[in-house]
Amino acid sequence: MEVMTAAGVVEKEIEIPQSRLLQMLRCTVQNYDWGGIGENSEVAKLSSLNSKVEIEVDKNYAELWMGTHNSGPSFIVDSDNLTLKSWITENPSVLGDKVLEKWGTDLPFLFKVLSVAKALSIQAHPDKESAVKLHKSLPNLYKDDNHKPEMALALTEFEALCGFVNLEEIKGVIQSVPEIVELVGNVEEDQLLHVSEQDGEEKVKFVMQTIFTHLMSACKESVSKMVSKLKSRLIEAQKERQLSDKEQLVLRLETEYPGDIGVLSAFFLNYVKLNPGEALYLGANEPHAYIHGECVECMATSDNVVRAGLTSKLRDVPTLCSMLTYRQGYPDILPGVAVNQYITRYMPPFDEFEVDRCNLPEGEFTEFPAFLGPSLFVVTRGAAKIQVISADHREEKEVRRGDVFFVAAHAGIIVATTNMEGTGGLQLFRAGVNSRFLSEL
């Protein structure tokens, strides 16, 4: 039997037994120290509902992982600790031919919910070539050999640092933040102030890399002294003027990470504020740090992070400073594209993933047509009855807030809300392989 998929491609339907169309999942929570505490964390609430475990009031709940990564596996509900990865290995047809051919018996994406109460480290993720080298040389630190492009989709107002500000803004930083000049020296200051776009991209990149590396490599004692001077200066300045958003931010960062080089390096990075429903995507070798808020995140299946500031974890400053692109300018913000009146799609320029957001009012229904690849769904609000449909099979299931489930390739989903007063209808998110990749011939 032939079917028309969501990507508009006619393909022969693969026979998948009924029991393999949908699997409910029990997912792993990560308790990093930057996560929201107890009931203040959306991750805590969703994880508690997902795994039927009580929330610990004084515990940090940072990330809910949904996928097949070994550091945070998902498990098949009602099984004897069978992981999703093991189940897919036993049933590879659920991935679809194209996904199976390129990525093997694994999901190429990792899906998460994040609750950020305290700034994450200033970090970057290596490209594929660098990831292979880092994993080979330092496997205990870089735990896999994959790259990690990623996208954050805001659930609440979400703050982040992302990418370098443009050249003129950096010159303004050098002229207005004397503490940075004291660390990097007058030679680097003069070099930066006299470079221009007319000198060419490589020259600008060289100057940027030189001054940023010098800053990030400064000794701990000097950094602590300059951060203290910066703090005192800004506290005095706000008695006479309104501090800029970036100045207010660095004072916040200083309270979270006193004496840290990340407080000063934040001046070099774009300060981004996402509204709910907006998304930010990050390619390999781009510096960033999430600051505050709740988001849904999707990335290639990797946990490789190179850190250099705002963290108590191991820092690898030489690697980070050598791998960055030093690309400048404000990052692209994705508002999403309407699939229908209830579903919005966020499609970054990466093969591994895309994310759909579904907001469905009470008493309504909508449809996710069949995809050529697998999907993961998480329900963040309300409840619904779903029908999972392939060529010869139909499964029905009721899902509610906290539920996470896997849907096989070539299966479509019909979602209809169930009446739950006070929920404001259903909200769920889907992660799947990028439709552009799936539709390529």
Side-chain angles (χ1 to χ4, degrees):
M1 179 178 177
E2 291 184 339
V3 295
M4 177 70 75
T5 72
V9 176
V10 176
E11 182 170 290
K12 186 176 180 180
E13 175 74 8
I14 295 175
E15 292 297 324
I16 300 175
Q18 181 174 357
S19 62
R20 298 182 189 174
L21 291 180
L22 178 146
Q23 291 288 353
M24 301 299 295
L25 302 177
R26 174 171 51 84
C27 300
T28 299
V29 67
Q30 306 287 8
N31 304 104
Y32 309 135
D33 64 2
W34 50 260
I37 298 175
E39 292 282 351
N40 293 319
S41 167
E42 179 70 2
V43 166
K45 297 172 186 176
L46 293 174
S47 175
S48 177
L49 292 168
N50 177 261
S51 298
K52 308 299 186 289
V53 175
E54 289 189 8
I55 297 172
E56 297 182 41
V57 295
D58 297 325
K59 194 169 188 176
N60 296 89
Y61 293 84
E63 298 185 350
L64 180 67
W65 285 29
M66 300 165 282
T68 56
H69 196 283
N70 290 332
S71 296
S74 296
F75 298 86
I76 305 296
V77 171
D78 298 328
S79 72
D80 187 18
N81 284 329
L82 176 67
T83 66
L84 176 62
K85 184 171 185 175
S86 296
W87 179 79
I88 289 174
T89 301
E90 296 171 1
N91 302 279
S93 62
V94 300
L95 296 179
D97 288 344
K98 195 161 189 178
V99 173
L100 191 60
E101 180 181 353
K102 180 162 184 175
W103 290 291
T105 56
D106 203 355
L107 289 181
F109 56 87
L110 177 60
F111 202 23
K112 299 180 181 180
V113 180
L114 271 60
S115 293
V116 182
K118 176 182 175 182
L120 280 70
S121 56
I122 290 179
Q123 60 185 255
H125 307 301
D127 58 27
K128 180 64 176 177
E129 182 180 354
S130 298
V132 171
K133 293 177 181 177
L134 290 170
H135 178 62
K136 185 176 181 179
S137 60
L138 297 167
N140 291 330
L141 182 58
Y142 302 108
K143 299 182 183 299
D144 56 71
D145 62 0
N146 200 15
H147 66 165
K148 192 185 176 185
E150 64 185 26
M151 179 174 67
L153 170 55
L155 295 173
T156 63
E157 183 176 287
F158 193 78
E159 301 172 77
L161 293 168
C162 178
F164 289 99
V165 300
N166 63 44
L167 183 58
E168 291 308 309
E169 289 181 76
I170 292 174
K171 289 182 179 182
V173 167
I174 292 298
Q175 293 170 323
S176 62
V177 187
E179 296 82 9
I180 289 178
V181 177
E182 287 194 54
L183 282 178
V184 301
N186 293 326
V187 174
E188 277 78 5
E189 174 195 17
D190 186 69
Q191 191 178 27
L192 179 63
L193 291 177
H194 287 87
V195 73
S196 70
E197 301 291 350
Q198 285 67 42
D199 293 319
E201 183 178 336
E202 289 304 312
K203 175 66 173 178
V204 173
K205 176 181 175 179
F206 173 79
V207 172
M208 276 292 302
Q209 182 169 358
T210 299
I211 195 169
F212 190 72
T213 302
H214 197 152
L215 176 69
M216 299 302 290
S217 305
C219 72
K220 187 175 181 180
E221 293 76 14
S222 297
V223 170
S224 181
K225 179 182 177 181
M226 289 304 109
V227 171
S228 180
K229 287 182 67 173
L230 171 68
K231 177 182 178 181
S232 297
R233 181 172 62 81
L234 292 181
I235 289 174
E236 284 300 312
Q238 69 183 354
K239 296 176 182 177
E240 299 180 359
R241 65 175 176 85
Q242 177 71 35
L243 297 183
S244 69
D245 285 352
K246 183 66 73 66
E247 288 173 329
Q248 294 177 51
L249 173 63
V250 298
L251 284 180
R252 284 170 52 196
L253 295 177
E254 193 280 334
T255 64
E256 296 176 355
Y257 299 94
D260 194 285
I261 188 59
V263 176
L264 290 169
S265 60
F267 280 108
F268 283 69
L269 306 178
N270 295 291
Y271 182 24
V272 178
K273 296 180 181 180
L274 299 178
N275 295 313
E278 292 181 330
L280 172 72
Y281 67 84
L282 303 158
N285 303 329
E286 295 293 347
H288 61 280
Y290 295 156
I291 303 300
H292 190 270
E294 314 267 1
C295 76
V296 169
E297 187 182 40
C298 198
M299 63 200 65
T301 303
S302 173
D303 195 30
N304 281 325
V305 181
V306 184
R307 301 177 178 88
L310 303 181
T311 182
S312 58
K313 295 183 178 180
L314 181 65
R315 305 176 187 217
D316 191 350
V317 173
T319 297
L320 182 118
C321 291
S322 65
M323 68 188 266
L324 297 178
T325 66
Y326 295 96
R327 185 180 298 115
Q328 298 170 359
Y330 202 75
D332 292 330
I333 305 299
L334 299 180
V337 176
V339 175
N340 58 39
Q341 67 184 115
Y342 302 125
I343 299 173
T344 303
R345 178 160 298 160
Y346 303 82
M347 189 183 294
F350 314 124
D351 288 349
E352 287 88 349
F353 62 88
E354 66 186 18
V355 174
D356 291 342
R357 181 187 65 169
C358 177
N359 281 326
L360 191 61
E362 293 180 9
E364 299 292 339
F365 72 92
T366 192
E367 181 177 2
F368 292 86
F371 293 91
L372 297 181
S375 298
L376 289 175
F377 291 79
V378 57
V379 182
T380 55
R381 186 180 67 231
K385 291 182 179 179
I386 60 172
Q387 296 182 38
V388 186
I389 304 166
S390 67
D392 301 312
H393 305 289
R394 179 187 300 263
E395 297 180 34
E396 293 189 1
K397 188 78 176 179
E398 184 165 324
V399 296
R400 60 187 59 243
R401 174 169 156 80
D403 282 345
V404 179
F405 54 97
F406 171 93
V407 174
H410 303 283
I413 303 283
I414 297 175
V415 184
T417 53
T418 55
N419 292 324
M420 290 185 66
E421 290 187 11
T423 64
L426 176 82
Q427 183 178 72
L428 63 76
F429 293 86
R430 166 196 164 268
V433 176
N434 196 298
S435 295
R436 280 192 297 261
F437 167 78
L438 293 174
S439 63
E440 291 173 355
L441 299 177

mmCIF file with all atom_site columns, all heavy atoms in Angstrom, residues 412-425:
data_model
loop_
_atom_site.group_PDB
_atom_site.id
_atom_site.type_symbol
_atom_site.label_atom_id
_atom_site.label_alt_id
_atom_site.label_comp_id
_atom_site.label_asym_id
_atom_site.label_entity_id
_atom_site.label_seq_id
_atom_site.pdbx_PDB_ins_code
_atom_site.Cartn_x
_atom_site.Cartn_y
_atom_site.Cartn_z
_atom_site.occupancy
_atom_site.B_iso_or_equiv
_atom_site.pdbx_formal_charge
_atom_site.auth_seq_id
_atom_site.auth_comp_id
_atom_site.auth_asym_id
_atom_site.auth_atom_id
_atom_site.pdbx_PDB_model_num
ATOM 1  N N   . GLY A 1 412 ? 0.371   8.113  11.377 1.00 0.00 ? 412 GLY A N   1
ATOM 2  C CA  . GLY A 1 412 ? -0.212  9.426  11.602 1.00 0.00 ? 412 GLY A CA  1
ATOM 3  C C   . GLY A 1 412 ? -0.879  9.489  12.966 1.00 0.00 ? 412 GLY A C   1
ATOM 4  O O   . GLY A 1 412 ? -1.169  8.460  13.584 1.00 0.00 ? 412 GLY A O   1
ATOM 5  N N   . ILE A 1 413 ? -1.108  10.714 13.453 1.00 0.00 ? 413 ILE A N   1
ATOM 6  C CA  . ILE A 1 413 ? -1.690  10.916 14.780 1.00 0.00 ? 413 ILE A CA  1
ATOM 7  C C   . ILE A 1 413 ? -2.885  11.854 14.668 1.00 0.00 ? 413 ILE A C   1
ATOM 8  O O   . ILE A 1 413 ? -2.777  12.949 14.092 1.00 0.00 ? 413 ILE A O   1
ATOM 9  C CB  . ILE A 1 413 ? -0.677  11.562 15.749 1.00 0.00 ? 413 ILE A CB  1
ATOM 10 C CG1 . ILE A 1 413 ? 0.588   10.731 15.859 1.00 0.00 ? 413 ILE A CG1 1
ATOM 11 C CG2 . ILE A 1 413 ? -1.306  11.777 17.118 1.00 0.00 ? 413 ILE A CG2 1
ATOM 12 C CD1 . ILE A 1 413 ? 0.449   9.518  16.703 1.00 0.00 ? 413 ILE A CD1 1
ATOM 13 N N   . ILE A 1 414 ? -4.016  11.441 15.210 1.00 0.00 ? 414 ILE A N   1
ATOM 14 C CA  . ILE A 1 414 ? -5.160  12.333 15.393 1.00 0.00 ? 414 ILE A CA  1
ATOM 15 C C   . ILE A 1 414 ? -5.283  12.618 16.883 1.00 0.00 ? 414 ILE A C   1
ATOM 16 O O   . ILE A 1 414 ? -5.303  11.690 17.698 1.00 0.00 ? 414 ILE A O   1
ATOM 17 C CB  . ILE A 1 414 ? -6.462  11.710 14.853 1.00 0.00 ? 414 ILE A CB  1
ATOM 18 C CG1 . ILE A 1 414 ? -6.346  11.489 13.336 1.00 0.00 ? 414 ILE A CG1 1
ATOM 19 C CG2 . ILE A 1 414 ? -7.658  12.607 15.165 1.00 0.00 ? 414 ILE A CG2 1
ATOM 20 C CD1 . ILE A 1 414 ? -7.526  10.764 12.732 1.00 0.00 ? 414 ILE A CD1 1
ATOM 21 N N   . VAL A 1 415 ? -5.331  13.895 17.232 1.00 0.00 ? 415 VAL A N   1
ATOM 22 C CA  . VAL A 1 415 ? -5.365  14.326 18.628 1.00 0.00 ? 415 VAL A CA  1
ATOM 23 C C   . VAL A 1 415 ? -6.665  15.059 18.888 1.00 0.00 ? 415 VAL A C   1
ATOM 24 O O   . VAL A 1 415 ? -7.017  15.995 18.162 1.00 0.00 ? 415 VAL A O   1
ATOM 25 C CB  . VAL A 1 415 ? -4.177  15.265 18.951 1.00 0.00 ? 415 VAL A CB  1
ATOM 26 C CG1 . VAL A 1 415 ? -4.163  15.629 20.427 1.00 0.00 ? 415 VAL A CG1 1
ATOM 27 C CG2 . VAL A 1 415 ? -2.858  14.631 18.541 1.00 0.00 ? 415 VAL A CG2 1
ATOM 28 N N   . ALA A 1 416 ? -7.401  14.645 19.927 1.00 0.00 ? 416 ALA A N   1
ATOM 29 C CA  . ALA A 1 416 ? -8.645  15.312 20.309 1.00 0.00 ? 416 ALA A CA  1
ATOM 30 C C   . ALA A 1 416 ? -8.621  15.593 21.805 1.00 0.00 ? 416 ALA A C   1
ATOM 31 O O   . ALA A 1 416 ? -8.329  14.698 22.605 1.00 0.00 ? 416 ALA A O   1
ATOM 32 C CB  . ALA A 1 416 ? -9.858  14.440 19.958 1.00 0.00 ? 416 ALA A CB  1
ATOM 33 N N   . THR A 1 417 ? -8.897  16.831 22.191 1.00 0.00 ? 417 THR A N   1
ATOM 34 C CA  . THR A 1 417 ? -8.829  17.188 23.603 1.00 0.00 ? 417 THR A CA  1
ATOM 35 C C   . THR A 1 417 ? -9.944  16.505 24.392 1.00 0.00 ? 417 THR A C   1
ATOM 36 O O   . THR A 1 417 ? -11.031 16.245 23.885 1.00 0.00 ? 417 THR A O   1
ATOM 37 C CB  . THR A 1 417 ? -8.954  18.704 23.799 1.00 0.00 ? 417 THR A CB  1
ATOM 38 O OG1 . THR A 1 417 ? -10.129 19.181 23.134 1.00 0.00 ? 417 THR A OG1 1
ATOM 39 C CG2 . THR A 1 417 ? -7.741  19.421 23.264 1.00 0.00 ? 417 THR A CG2 1
ATOM 40 N N   . THR A 1 418 ? -9.626  16.229 25.657 1.00 0.00 ? 418 THR A N   1
ATOM 41 C CA  . THR A 1 418 ? -10.636 15.781 26.608 1.00 0.00 ? 418 THR A CA  1
ATOM 42 C C   . THR A 1 418 ? -10.878 16.924 27.578 1.00 0.00 ? 418 THR A C   1
ATOM 43 O O   . THR A 1 418 ? -9.990  17.720 27.863 1.00 0.00 ? 418 THR A O   1
ATOM 44 C CB  . THR A 1 418 ? -10.163 14.543 27.385 1.00 0.00 ? 418 THR A CB  1
ATOM 45 O OG1 . THR A 1 418 ? -8.910  14.839 28.014 1.00 0.00 ? 418 THR A OG1 1
ATOM 46 C CG2 . THR A 1 418 ? -9.969  13.370 26.457 1.00 0.00 ? 418 THR A CG2 1
ATOM 47 N N   . ASN A 1 419 ? -12.085 17.041 28.055 1.00 0.00 ? 419 ASN A N   1
ATOM 48 C CA  . ASN A 1 419 ? -12.454 18.186 28.887 1.00 0.00 ? 419 ASN A CA  1
ATOM 49 C C   . ASN A 1 419 ? -11.840 18.068 30.280 1.00 0.00 ? 419 ASN A C   1
ATOM 50 O O   . ASN A 1 419 ? -12.177 17.189 31.059 1.00 0.00 ? 419 ASN A O   1
ATOM 51 C CB  . ASN A 1 419 ? -13.977 18.289 28.998 1.00 0.00 ? 419 ASN A CB  1
ATOM 52 C CG  . ASN A 1 419 ? -14.618 18.651 27.671 1.00 0.00 ? 419 ASN A CG  1
ATOM 53 O OD1 . ASN A 1 419 ? -14.036 19.430 26.910 1.00 0.00 ? 419 ASN A OD1 1
ATOM 54 N ND2 . ASN A 1 419 ? -15.782 18.094 27.388 1.00 0.00 ? 419 ASN A ND2 1
ATOM 55 N N   . MET A 1 420 ? -10.919 18.959 30.557 1.00 0.00 ? 420 MET A N   1
ATOM 56 C CA  . MET A 1 420 ? -10.323 19.081 31.891 1.00 0.00 ? 420 MET A CA  1
ATOM 57 C C   . MET A 1 420 ? -10.370 20.554 32.265 1.00 0.00 ? 420 MET A C   1
ATOM 58 O O   . MET A 1 420 ? -9.641  21.374 31.701 1.00 0.00 ? 420 MET A O   1
ATOM 59 C CB  . MET A 1 420 ? -8.877  18.570 31.907 1.00 0.00 ? 420 MET A CB  1
ATOM 60 C CG  . MET A 1 420 ? -8.744  17.078 31.749 1.00 0.00 ? 420 MET A CG  1
ATOM 61 S SD  . MET A 1 420 ? -7.004  16.552 31.928 1.00 0.00 ? 420 MET A SD  1
ATOM 62 C CE  . MET A 1 420 ? -6.700  16.958 33.642 1.00 0.00 ? 420 MET A CE  1
ATOM 63 N N   . GLU A 1 421 ? -11.269 20.911 33.151 1.00 0.00 ? 421 GLU A N   1
ATOM 64 C CA  . GLU A 1 421 ? -11.468 22.312 33.481 1.00 0.00 ? 421 GLU A CA  1
ATOM 65 C C   . GLU A 1 421 ? -10.199 22.939 34.035 1.00 0.00 ? 421 GLU A C   1
ATOM 66 O O   . GLU A 1 421 ? -9.471  22.330 34.814 1.00 0.00 ? 421 GLU A O   1
ATOM 67 C CB  . GLU A 1 421 ? -12.597 22.454 34.506 1.00 0.00 ? 421 GLU A CB  1
ATOM 68 C CG  . GLU A 1 421 ? -13.975 22.139 33.937 1.00 0.00 ? 421 GLU A CG  1
ATOM 69 C CD  . GLU A 1 421 ? -15.063 22.457 34.934 1.00 0.00 ? 421 GLU A CD  1
ATOM 70 O OE1 . GLU A 1 421 ? -14.763 23.110 35.961 1.00 0.00 ? 421 GLU A OE1 1
ATOM 71 O OE2 . GLU A 1 421 ? -16.202 22.063 34.686 1.00 0.00 ? 421 GLU A OE2 1
ATOM 72 N N   . GLY A 1 422 ? -9.955  24.168 33.599 1.00 0.00 ? 422 GLY A N   1
ATOM 73 C CA  . GLY A 1 422 ? -8.835  24.934 34.120 1.00 0.00 ? 422 GLY A CA  1
ATOM 74 C C   . GLY A 1 422 ? -7.509  24.683 33.425 1.00 0.00 ? 422 GLY A C   1
ATOM 75 O O   . GLY A 1 422 ? -6.514  25.325 33.754 1.00 0.00 ? 422 GLY A O   1
ATOM 76 N N   . THR A 1 423 ? -7.461  23.774 32.452 1.00 0.00 ? 423 THR A N   1
ATOM 77 C CA  . THR A 1 423 ? -6.198  23.486 31.788 1.00 0.00 ? 423 THR A CA  1
ATOM 78 C C   . THR A 1 423 ? -5.944  24.414 30.615 1.00 0.00 ? 423 THR A C   1
ATOM 79 O O   . THR A 1 423 ? -4.815  24.550 30.161 1.00 0.00 ? 423 THR A O   1
ATOM 80 C CB  . THR A 1 423 ? -6.160  22.032 31.271 1.00 0.00 ? 423 THR A CB  1
ATOM 81 O OG1 . THR A 1 423 ? -7.180  21.871 30.257 1.00 0.00 ? 423 THR A OG1 1
ATOM 82 C CG2 . THR A 1 423 ? -6.379  21.049 32.398 1.00 0.00 ? 423 THR A CG2 1
ATOM 83 N N   . GLY A 1 424 ? -7.002  25.033 30.081 1.00 0.00 ? 424 GLY A N   1
ATOM 84 C CA  . GLY A 1 424 ? -6.815  25.862 28.896 1.00 0.00 ? 424 GLY A CA  1
ATOM 85 C C   . GLY A 1 424 ? -6.557  25.053 27.647 1.00 0.00 ? 424 GLY A C   1
ATOM 86 O O   . GLY A 1 424 ? -5.931  25.535 26.708 1.00 0.00 ? 424 GLY A O   1
ATOM 87 N N   . GLY A 1 425 ? -7.050  23.817 27.623 1.00 0.00 ? 425 GLY A N   1
ATOM 88 C CA  . GLY A 1 425 ? -6.831  22.965 26.472 1.00 0.00 ? 425 GLY A CA  1
ATOM 89 C C   . GLY A 1 425 ? -5.525  22.193 26.574 1.00 0.00 ? 425 GLY A C   1
ATOM 90 O O   . GLY A 1 425 ? -4.894  22.105 27.630 1.00 0.00 ? 425 GLY A O   1
#
